[in-house]
């Protein structure tokens, strides 16, 4: 039987908690999109063509907006209309976002703007069906790749400024420093120079958002002790599950883990059946790179292309007024099986560990999982494995059965009140096998 600590952990702050602010933001984007950007970008046009070529799909795309309950808390205007009313408006707004970088806002950061446009629609029955459609996900992958190219270009660097909504204003720099357990941005992060007028040398939004720590800022816990497992990401504990099944009904309310789905039917699956999973979550201002939790040799490293805006239906409007207000925060167990993700298998130097799987899981816009290690490469504990682009997300550590792992979550239990544990800090110890 799978034993799962049922935790609903909303710590990411990718969308503002103030619905009035979010409504105003959506209204602003909708008006700007209406007045500009008339021609759709090629991948947005491809999604439009797909929707309009299939009568049933078009009906579902329209229904996922009309099925949002007629209640003020669900992005309703003063005239009790949804802020996003149909797929045509959705396409306009997404198209508008394609040439803009996320803005900083001290009172209501919209870190994932497409997610904001689709937030409530994702929770409807029609939305659940739409975002499991492989054709739709192919289109959204192209859209996110297109946006990602912009965010990686010098055109996106305009948002690295000191204005109220720029990422280099004093409030933003202070927030990012505090999120990294520090006080001064330049003392924590590795920059090309210290000139704020030159954007500290960052040439794009993505280069800024994937900024590395300075050497020594995150010392590796017990570097010479292979029994100590360290935090692979700057993240907060979300869930621990034991005796995980090969196959389970992950789409239900409980969201148990299903290994055959997590690994996408890879042959490695059987060797982890009955093992232990630790899941943790990154927040909007977190450090976004992944590092080795153990020392060992990379034996597998591959990407899986899955969904981008799918949430567990039972965390959507099937839950009544308990619907996830910032989807897919409450669906992190579910998206471990369906979302775009990267899998890295490490053969540990410590034989009591055997093989350990690290799985980086994309959420919404945060879907580009870049692996920076190769099969056959030896990594030391704390070495970089890869990174999320355009933000942060959620990840798994999967231990094989029989591994005696004792977690040390710094006085916390996985819960809504948990907070980030620094990168490369001790999170567990593996005891010798009997």
């Amino acid at each position: 039987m799978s034993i799962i600590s049922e935790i609903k952990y909303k710590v990411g702050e990718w969308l503002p908690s103030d619905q009035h602010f979010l409504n105003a933001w959506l209204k602003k984007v909708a008006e700007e999109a209406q007045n500009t950007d008339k021609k759709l970008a090629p991948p947005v046009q491809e999604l439009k063509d797909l929707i309009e070529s299939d009568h049933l799909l078009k009906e579902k795309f329209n229904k996922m907006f009309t099925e949002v309950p007629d209640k003020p808390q669900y992005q309703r205007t003063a005239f009790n209309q949804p802020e996003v009313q149909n797929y045509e408006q959705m396409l306009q707004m997404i198209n508008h976002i394609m040439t803009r970088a996320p803005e900083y806002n001290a009172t209501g950061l919209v870190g994932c703007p497409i997610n904001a446009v689709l937030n409530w629609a994702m929770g409807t029955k029609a939305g659940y069906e739409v975002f499991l459609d492989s054709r739709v996900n192919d289109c959204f992958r192209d859209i996110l790749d297109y946006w990602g190219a912009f965010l990686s270009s010098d055109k996106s660097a305009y948002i690295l400024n000191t204005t109220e909504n720029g990422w280099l204003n004093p409030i933003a720099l202070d927030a990012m420093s505090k999120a990294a357990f520090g006080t001064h941005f330049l003392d924590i992060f590795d920059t090309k120079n210290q000139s704020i007028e030159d954007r500290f040398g960052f040439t794009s939004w993505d280069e800024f958002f994937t900024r590395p720590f300075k050497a020594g800022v995150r010392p590796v816990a017990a570097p010479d002790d292979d029994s100590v497992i360290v935090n692979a990401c700057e993240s907060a504990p979300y869930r621990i599950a034991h005796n995980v099944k090969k196959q389970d009904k992950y789409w239900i309310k409980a969201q148990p883990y299903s290994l055959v789905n997590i690994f996408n039917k890879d042959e490695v699956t059987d060797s982890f059946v009955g093992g232990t999973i630790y899941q943790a979550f990154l927040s909007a201002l977190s450090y976004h790179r992944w590092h080795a939790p153990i020392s060992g040799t990379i034996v597998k490293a591959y990407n899986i292309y899955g969904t981008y805006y799918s949430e567990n239906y039972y965390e959507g409007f099937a839950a009544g007024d308990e619907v996830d207000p910032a989807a897919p925060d409450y669906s992190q167990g579910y998206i471990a099986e369906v979302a775009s993700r990267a899998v890295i298998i490490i053969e540990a130097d410590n034989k009591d560990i055997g093989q350990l799987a690290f799985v980086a899981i994309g959420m919404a816009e945060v879907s580009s999982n870049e692996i920076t290690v190769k099969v056959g490469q030896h990594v030391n504990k704390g070495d970089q494995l890869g990174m999320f682009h355009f933000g942060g997300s959620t990840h798994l550590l999967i231990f094989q059965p029989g591994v005696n792992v004792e977690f040390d979550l710094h006085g916390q239990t996985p819960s809504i009140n948990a907070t980030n544990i620094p990168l490369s800090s001790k999170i567990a110890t593996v005891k010798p096998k009997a």
Side-chain angles (χ1 to χ4, degrees):
M1 181 178 179
S2 180
I3 306 170
I4 294 181
S5 303
E6 282 303 323
I7 303 297
K8 293 187 176 181
Y9 183 43
K10 184 175 178 292
V11 70
E13 299 176 358
W14 289 99
L15 298 179
S17 57
D18 185 342
Q19 189 62 55
H20 294 294
F21 177 91
L22 189 53
N23 286 353
W25 182 89
L26 286 165
K27 181 179 179 181
K28 174 177 174 287
V29 173
E31 290 175 348
E32 290 176 350
Q34 178 66 30
N35 296 326
T36 59
D37 308 318
K38 296 297 183 183
K39 184 177 180 180
L40 298 181
V44 183
Q45 181 66 50
E46 289 174 11
L47 177 57
K48 184 176 189 291
D49 293 342
L50 171 65
I51 294 170
E52 295 180 347
S53 69
D54 186 317
H55 173 73
L56 291 177
L57 186 60
K58 182 177 180 180
E59 183 180 8
K60 289 177 183 177
F61 260 94
N62 278 321
K63 277 188 173 181
M64 73 181 191
F65 295 105
T66 60
E67 286 179 359
V68 177
D70 185 15
K71 295 182 179 181
Q73 64 263 42
Y74 302 128
Q75 290 180 353
R76 314 298 287 197
T77 69
F79 301 101
N80 207 30
Q81 295 291 321
E83 291 290 354
V84 187
Q85 299 181 33
N86 50 55
Y87 80 85
E88 291 98 336
Q89 187 182 21
M90 173 201 77
L91 291 169
Q92 282 185 334
M93 295 171 74
I94 291 175
N95 192 64
H96 183 69
I97 289 165
M98 290 297 94
T99 55
R100 286 154 181 81
E103 296 180 344
Y104 180 78
N105 191 298
T107 58
L109 173 64
V110 183
C112 289
I114 299 176
N115 198 161
V117 171
L118 301 173
N119 187 40
W120 296 120
M122 290 162 59
T124 64
K125 184 176 185 296
Y128 178 68
E129 295 172 356
V130 158
F131 293 115
L132 285 176
D133 190 308
S134 61
R135 300 169 300 166
V136 172
N137 283 301
D138 286 345
C139 285
F140 269 102
R141 181 166 65 250
D142 290 342
I143 287 170
L144 294 173
D145 285 346
Y146 185 93
W147 192 41
F150 168 78
L151 294 177
S152 299
S153 74
D154 57 4
K155 293 179 181 178
S156 67
Y158 76 90
I159 200 62
L160 304 180
N161 61 63
T162 57
T163 66
E164 182 181 6
N165 295 123
W167 284 88
L168 302 185
N169 79 63
I171 296 174
L173 293 175
D174 183 60
M176 287 181 283
S177 300
K178 288 179 178 176
F181 305 98
T183 54
H184 299 291
F185 185 89
L186 292 175
D187 292 340
I188 301 167
F189 297 105
D190 189 15
T191 61
K192 294 179 181 178
N193 61 53
Q194 297 195 345
S195 171
I196 198 167
E197 292 78 13
D198 189 38
R199 306 183 178 112
F200 300 138
F202 294 114
T203 58
S204 71
W205 156 261
D206 185 62
E207 187 179 33
F208 168 76
F209 227 58
T210 57
R211 60 194 178 274
F213 283 128
K214 279 190 169 183
V217 167
R218 289 292 183 270
V220 178
D224 299 321
D225 185 348
D226 286 339
S227 68
V228 173
I229 312 293
V230 300
N231 206 14
C233 298
E234 191 106 343
S235 54
Y238 177 78
R239 177 188 282 181
I240 295 173
H242 303 285
N243 194 23
V244 180
K245 294 181 180 179
K246 179 176 181 178
Q247 192 163 14
D248 214 332
K249 297 179 180 179
Y250 58 84
W251 58 88
I252 62 176
K253 179 72 173 177
Q255 301 177 56
Y257 296 109
S258 179
L259 289 170
V260 71
N261 298 96
I262 290 172
F263 290 121
N264 199 33
K265 302 178 182 178
D266 190 89
E267 61 185 4
V268 75
T269 302
D270 286 340
S271 66
F272 287 91
V273 174
T276 298
I277 289 181
Y278 168 76
Q279 184 167 8
F281 183 66
L282 289 78
S283 64
L285 300 179
S286 293
Y287 173 81
H288 308 294
R289 298 182 182 228
W290 332 320
H291 292 250
I294 60 172
S295 295
T297 302
I298 308 298
V299 295
K300 273 185 181 287
Y302 61 97
N303 284 96
I304 301 166
Y305 296 110
T307 65
Y308 297 95
Y309 294 96
S310 183
E311 71 168 298
N312 186 307
Y313 179 55
Y314 296 99
E315 299 294 353
F317 288 108
D321 284 339
E322 297 300 314
V323 59
D324 184 353
D329 275 7
Y330 291 177
S331 299
Q332 289 184 61
Y334 163 81
I335 66 172
E337 282 90 355
V338 302
S340 288
R341 54 203 183 275
V343 177
I344 299 174
I345 310 294
I346 305 173
E347 180 74 43
D349 290 347
N350 183 345
K351 301 306 179 185
D352 290 319
I353 298 175
Q355 291 189 350
L356 175 69
F358 169 84
V359 184
I361 303 162
M363 292 174 65
E365 277 92 311
V366 190
S367 57
S368 181
N369 306 304
E370 181 187 0
I371 299 171
T372 59
V373 290
K374 296 180 179 180
V375 172
Q377 177 180 342
H378 184 274
V379 293
N380 292 318
K381 187 164 50 175
D383 287 352
Q384 181 176 295
L385 298 177
M387 69 190 81
F388 292 115
H389 287 275
F390 327 137
S393 194
T394 189
H395 68 96
L396 309 176
L397 294 183
I398 309 179
F399 297 86
Q400 293 181 307
V403 177
N404 184 6
V405 56
E406 294 182 0
F407 288 96
D408 175 4
L409 303 182
H410 298 224
Q412 304 182 88
T413 55
S415 75
I416 196 170
N417 297 315
T419 57
N420 273 4
I421 296 173
L423 176 77
S424 293
S425 295
K426 175 183 174 182
I427 60 166
T429 302
V430 171
K431 301 296 183 182
K433 292 183 179 179

